[in-house]
Amino acid sequence: MSENHEEAMAEEREAMEFDVLIVGAGPAGLAAAIRLKQLSPDASVCVVEKGGEVGAHILSGAVLEPRALDELIPDWRDDPPALATPAGEDRFMLLTATRAFKLPTPPSMNNHGNYIVSLGNVVRWLGAKAEALGVEIYPGFAASETIIEDGQVKGVVAGVMGIEKDGTKGGNYQPGMELRATYTLFAEGCRGSLTKRLFETYKLREGVAPQTYALGIKELWEIPKEKHQPGLIWHSVGWPLPSDTYGGSWLYMLGENLVSIGFVIGLDYPNPWLSPFDEFQRFKHHPAVKAMLEGGKRISYGARALNEGGFQAIPKLVFPGGALIGDAAGFLNVPKIKGTHTAMKSGMVAAEAIAEALESKPAVLDAYPAKLEASWVWSELRSVRNIRSGFGKFGFWGGMANAALDTYLFRGRAPWTMTHHQDHETLRRADDAPRIDYPKPDGVLSFDRLSSVFLSNTNHEENQPAHLVLKDPSRWLPENWEKYRSPESRYCPAGVYEAVGVEEGEPRLVINAQNCVHCKTCDIKDPTQNIDWRTPEGAGGPNYPGGM
């Protein structure tokens, strides 16, 4: 950051005061806002969202378990979100290169009573419910800095715009506003930029397992009506991934002839030549998958990292003046492949703690973690704590055996808790790993990165400082290139990173930050943690349509 940029950030700004400020208009943040207004109608509640509209940056499968929604809005089925399709048949498949074998559906993946949804549409719907209760929601308003005074969080700075690439103030410069509150809830989702710094400032991850992550890549398709089976929920494991790499697919049929299809790969994979994007593209050519997509058209594309550390990786949730909710803390139930219900419930529990605290105003919301530990979120996550970590420890087949033992024999009560390793520490050197030759996309079932990014409607203001930076540019050549042959050029699903000058013997890294779909994979997987994802201007990034 330049001196001019620092000077701009330090100048006096206008301020707004609220009882509660929520950073992030996802399921957790909006559930918290709604619950708070239900309990304390006179409380002033503000939600800021970096996406251009509520839902613009939301990406998920998604199959919704309505448990939390039933508690929050019991009559929601009378006015449901668009594209909410009741779950139908469950299929759990093991793929080889040419065949598909149906396996028994694990109990955690039984979706009876659930709904296939567009999570973007769900949060748009929740946003309207929140505003009807008097919640103030400001989309396109990126929170770029946490206000901390005397060790206590007092709010955030949001809406800074017009900083040029060189750090100077442009013609449309706006210094942003200070949004101050008695309590600030951080609901940024996985690997939030402000949350990441809160971990460091308040040492929130001390004494817990490292977080581990996965990258989810998704496409939305429209297929011929005769192939569409509304409510079908199809998952697969196995091909095309090697046995040392965790991951699998989903395919959900919803709405009118729509298919949500995607692939998830654990970011603890060891082979630096692996490309999650290309694994997904070749997966669609499997005969069983091709048969469902043929004759269809790809409508949209996106990618997002997700927390997979589970129960043992949950950080300390509170600090003076604030708390973490939703996937900012990491409440995904990996075996269930669901986190919306747990994220929403965490926001609701935090809101209940705040409603009780608004009169006495304790600095630390200790009631929140206590209430959460007494809720079904805690028991649900604790019961599956060893399943994802088993795949990291034992590989695919050992992980499957461990999952079966943990589920059917121990029933989630094993007398041990496994831990995780950090994803950026797992890569082997490039010359010690087998190279992977990916087939070229055919433009029918499989596609290239740039045409995919186009479908995500990604856009960033060209003149703003790059929000993806190398902390130490001199580290890239001896580390990322010499040891791993630029793994960021393969694990990024948006073509942000390019190693150029290789044929001339002078390799260097080019960062195309304008392509970024805000998945955060680079911030997680970079082997020396040299890539830093910073908050771009509000409304920058993808703009996912209804249906995603």
Side-chain angles (χ1 to χ4, degrees):
M1 184 181 296
S2 70
E3 290 183 6
N4 287 334
H5 196 181
E6 289 177 338
E7 179 185 347
M9 297 301 98
E11 69 185 348
E12 191 171 339
R13 301 179 174 93
E14 293 184 22
M16 296 176 67
E17 298 275 351
F18 301 92
D19 291 315
V20 181
L21 173 66
I22 300 170
V23 182
L30 292 171
I34 291 169
R35 187 68 181 131
L36 193 56
K37 292 297 277 187
Q38 289 173 340
L39 296 172
S40 302
D42 295 331
S44 56
V45 182
C46 175
V47 180
V48 290
E49 164 59 39
K50 67 182 174 67
E53 65 170 342
V54 172
H57 289 176
I58 295 292
L59 189 74
S60 182
V63 174
L64 174 69
E65 180 177 313
R67 186 173 186 177
L69 189 55
D70 286 339
E71 295 178 13
L72 184 66
I73 307 173
D75 62 350
W76 70 271
R77 290 173 182 81
D78 296 337
D79 174 31
L83 297 180
T85 301
E89 180 187 357
D90 281 309
R91 295 184 201 167
F92 182 47
M93 313 298 293
L94 172 65
L95 302 187
T96 66
T98 58
R99 300 184 67 187
F101 300 92
K102 187 174 181 180
L103 301 177
T105 300
S108 62
M109 296 175 69
N110 183 331
N111 286 292
H112 178 73
N114 295 334
Y115 293 82
I116 304 173
V117 298
S118 156
L119 195 57
N121 282 347
V122 170
V123 298
R124 290 178 179 94
W125 180 86
L126 287 171
K129 299 290 185 184
E131 288 184 317
L133 292 171
V135 176
E136 296 182 45
I137 302 179
Y138 299 125
F141 219 54
S144 55
E145 179 185 337
T146 303
I147 301 170
I148 301 177
E149 296 172 354
D150 298 323
Q152 183 163 339
V153 171
K154 297 288 188 178
V156 302
V157 174
V160 178
M161 300 184 71
I163 302 293
E164 301 286 337
K165 281 188 176 181
D166 61 2
T168 60
K169 303 173 188 177
N172 65 337
Y173 170 72
Q174 296 178 28
M177 295 190 67
E178 291 188 357
L179 302 177
R180 291 177 168 266
T182 304
Y183 297 110
T184 303
L185 296 179
F186 292 84
E188 295 183 288
C190 179
R191 199 72 168 196
S193 52
L194 297 187
T195 304
K196 184 173 68 170
R197 288 166 175 78
L198 289 170
F199 285 150
E200 299 167 0
T201 301
Y202 294 104
K203 298 179 172 55
L204 302 180
R205 298 212 60 84
E206 282 190 353
V208 301
Q211 187 59 263
T212 190
Y213 302 86
L215 172 62
I217 304 175
K218 174 184 178 179
E219 294 175 351
L220 185 69
W221 282 64
E222 184 175 12
I223 63 171
K225 185 176 181 62
E226 62 271 16
K227 292 190 174 186
H228 195 258
Q229 182 182 333
L232 175 64
I233 296 174
W234 191 98
H235 293 103
S236 76
V237 293
W239 187 89
L241 296 181
S243 61
D244 62 1
T245 299
Y246 178 80
S249 78
W250 80 81
L251 188 149
Y252 307 148
M253 296 194 182
L254 71 162
E256 293 293 328
N257 306 328
L258 294 178
V259 173
S260 165
I261 182 171
F263 210 83
V264 174
I265 292 182
L267 290 179
D268 55 349
Y269 68 82
N271 188 341
W273 299 107
L274 186 142
S275 163
F277 175 87
D278 291 302
E279 295 291 346
F280 174 39
Q281 296 307 314
R282 69 171 175 171
F283 155 76
K284 290 180 290 177
H285 285 273
H286 188 280
V289 182
K290 181 179 180 180
M292 290 186 278
L293 295 180
E294 268 186 325
K297 178 184 178 182
R298 187 174 71 150
I299 297 172
S300 194
Y301 168 86
R304 191 74 176 92
L306 51 149
N307 293 310
E308 289 195 338
F311 180 79
Q312 53 269 58
I314 295 173
K316 184 178 179 182
L317 297 172
V318 292
F319 40 88
L324 305 178
I325 61 175
D327 218 25
F331 294 122
L332 178 72
N333 183 327
V334 177
K336 195 178 270 192
I337 321 178
K338 293 175 184 65
T340 302
H341 65 301
T342 47
M344 290 181 65
K345 181 63 174 178
S346 72
M348 293 157 62
V349 171
E352 290 161 7
I354 290 174
E356 295 174 1
L358 281 176
E359 188 171 337
S360 59
K361 294 182 174 60
V364 180
L365 283 168
D366 288 323
Y368 164 47
K371 286 176 177 289
L372 195 67
E373 288 180 26
S375 76
W376 51 260
V377 170
W378 211 254
S379 56
E380 177 177 318
L381 294 181
R382 191 180 192 284
S383 70
V384 297
R385 68 193 184 282
N386 287 324
I387 293 182
R388 170 62 179 96
S389 49
F391 284 92
K393 185 176 180 65
F394 304 121
F396 175 72
W397 292 109
M400 291 283 279
N402 173 74
L405 285 172
D406 197 82
T407 300
Y408 296 105
L409 179 62
F410 293 111
R411 299 184 182 276
R413 299 187 182 92
W416 57 77
T417 297
M418 298 182 190
T419 189
H420 309 293
H421 37 237
Q422 299 200 69
D423 297 330
H424 68 271
E425 298 174 339
T426 60
L427 284 181
R428 296 159 58 184
R429 293 184 66 108
D431 51 9
D432 293 333
R435 294 195 66 146
I436 304 173
D437 293 321
Y438 292 105
K440 290 183 178 181
D442 66 359
V444 178
L445 289 174
S446 52
F447 306 90
D448 60 49
R449 280 175 171 81
L450 293 184
S451 66
S452 300
V453 172
F454 177 79
L455 288 180
S456 71
N457 300 308
T458 294
N459 183 58
H460 293 89
E461 174 58 47
E462 290 186 8
N463 291 326
Q464 67 178 298
H467 66 281
L468 297 162
V469 297
L470 300 183
K471 299 174 187 176
D472 180 0
S474 68
R475 259 196 262 163
W476 180 81
L477 185 63
E479 292 290 335
N480 294 51
W481 177 255
E482 295 295 343
K483 292 181 181 178
Y484 308 107
R485 284 299 185 264
S486 188
E488 61 280 343
S489 63
R490 290 178 288 278
Y491 61 60
C492 173
V496 169
Y497 301 95
E498 289 183 279
V500 300
V502 175
E503 294 181 359
E504 295 79 10
E506 297 181 357
R508 58 187 175 85
L509 183 67
V510 172
I511 301 177
N512 305 301
Q514 68 276 11
N515 289 357
C516 178
V517 294
H518 297 197
C519 75
K520 311 292 183 68
T521 302
C522 56
D523 197 277
I524 296 164
K525 187 63 175 173
D526 183 70
T528 66
Q529 294 294 274
N530 194 30
I531 297 175
D532 190 23
W533 195 100
R534 299 176 180 175
T535 309
E537 283 189 6
N543 188 5
Y544 297 129
M548 287 292 274

